[in-house]
Amino acid sequence: METISENASFGGVQGVYKHKSASCACDMTFAVYLPPQAKKGPVPCLWYLSGLTCTHENAMTKAGLQEHAARRGIAVVFPDTSPRGDDVADDEAYDLGKGAGFYVNATQDPWAPNFKMYDYIKTELRDLVQSEFPVLEGRHGVTGHSMGGHGAITLALGNPGLFASLSAFAPIANPTASDWGRKQLTAYLGTDESKWKTHDSTLLVGSHGWEGGILVDQGASDQFLDLLKPEALANALAESRTASVFRMQPGYDHSYFFVASFGRDHVDWHADRLTA
């Protein structure tokens, strides 16, 4: 693992790191914020999965989570959203290829050799963070925005015990029924829609549930509401009687101004569960 940069932030350290990924068969960059409490010993860990077109850097610099994480004594991990490099397949569209890994393990060419973001987050980067940083085993939570909200919910519900707390900002909630989903799932996983079900938050909530409670914030003025389909997830949460807080926030759009506005609530949501 190579250190790219480390900067003091709210008494802790915001670092950026690079490593060779076996899952994605390329170099991957990620960021970790360690709060000041980590100087004395291991701390709980919150994973933030970013959305379409983002790298590790967007949320690291725009979401404003470091102050809240320092206050509550939890680390924050900011992974990239896809493999990178000259030899990695890409597409001219912003919503496929680099920056659009969709947190799945691609099985179709030309994506299959590199686009293994599901395994990368679930196992490879998790193991690396656990071994190289002072974070507590079994005290990991996950959140994310848009495509990252989709990734957070599907990874948590699909892997019981991997995360102890869960939230999302404006997740792509029902990708099997949305143009933000059907296009990418077809490209990465093929045309057999039965293989898509484990990557749809709405379907997973209905079949798996979640015991720890889920916090979801959605901007009511989000310009992508028709693609995100928040009503599908809200209905699934209600029908499955899953403990949850689902908030439509008046006037907020899909930007990082929205994420930053409710970042404190989400950090507190996770810290309450990870430090109990």
Side-chain angles (χ1 to χ4, degrees):
M1 188 182 74
E2 176 185 350
T3 299
I4 303 300
S5 64
E6 289 185 333
N7 299 94
S9 178
F10 295 98
V13 177
Q14 177 62 68
V16 178
Y17 310 93
K18 183 169 69 174
H19 73 113
K20 292 185 181 300
S21 168
S23 300
C24 298
C26 64
D27 288 344
M28 294 291 286
T29 302
F30 67 99
V32 176
Y33 175 71
L34 292 176
Q37 294 87 340
K39 298 172 185 177
K40 298 180 179 179
V43 295
C45 183
L46 174 61
W47 291 68
Y48 182 100
L49 306 185
S50 292
L52 289 167
T53 75
C54 292
T55 69
H56 70 280
E57 188 175 14
N58 298 73
M60 181 185 77
T61 58
K62 296 180 180 180
L65 300 183
Q66 290 88 348
E67 181 178 8
H68 311 310
R71 175 174 53 84
R72 295 302 304 265
I74 64 175
V76 185
V77 179
F78 304 93
D80 202 345
T81 57
S82 77
R84 307 279 176 176
D86 294 339
D87 297 329
V88 174
D90 200 8
D91 190 89
E92 292 182 357
Y94 74 94
D95 58 356
L96 188 67
K98 295 178 186 177
F102 247 76
Y103 303 100
V104 302
N105 288 335
T107 59
Q108 306 298 302
D109 290 334
W111 315 106
N114 302 103
F115 282 72
K116 306 290 187 184
M117 291 302 295
Y118 194 92
D119 281 352
Y120 178 68
I121 300 296
K122 174 189 171 185
T123 304
E124 184 177 13
L125 187 58
R126 169 77 168 238
D127 290 348
L128 181 63
V129 168
Q130 192 66 56
S131 66
E132 297 293 334
F133 298 91
V135 297
L136 290 166
E137 180 67 43
R139 298 290 185 91
H140 293 245
V142 64
T143 189
H145 174 230
S146 193
M147 180 184 72
H150 141 80
I153 299 173
T154 56
L155 279 158
L157 269 60
N159 300 278
L162 186 65
F163 296 106
S165 58
L166 173 61
S167 74
F169 299 86
I172 300 176
N174 192 195
T176 62
S178 169
D179 288 342
W180 269 2
R182 294 190 63 83
K183 170 184 177 179
Q184 293 84 359
L185 295 174
T186 299
Y188 296 142
L189 302 180
T191 57
D192 182 355
E193 296 188 19
S194 67
K195 297 179 180 179
W196 302 359
K197 295 180 179 179
T198 55
H199 299 289
D200 187 303
S201 298
T202 295
L203 300 180
L204 281 174
V205 165
S207 62
H208 287 58
W210 177 262
E211 295 183 357
I214 304 174
L215 171 62
V216 179
D217 274 308
Q218 171 64 62
S221 296
D222 193 313
Q223 60 271 44
F224 302 114
L225 280 175
D226 290 342
L227 293 166
L228 300 170
K229 297 189 178 297
E231 67 281 358
L233 178 58
N235 290 336
L237 289 167
E239 290 172 1
S240 63
R241 300 179 180 178
T242 300
S244 59
V245 177
F246 196 107
R247 306 189 299 192
M248 293 294 292
Q249 301 291 2
Y252 285 90
D253 60 14
H254 200 68
S255 70
Y256 270 99
F257 295 110
F258 157 67
V259 174
S261 295
F262 300 101
R264 177 177 181 139
D265 291 351
H266 284 250
V267 170
D268 285 342
W269 175 271
H270 289 274
D272 288 347
R273 287 155 177 79
L274 297 175
T275 61

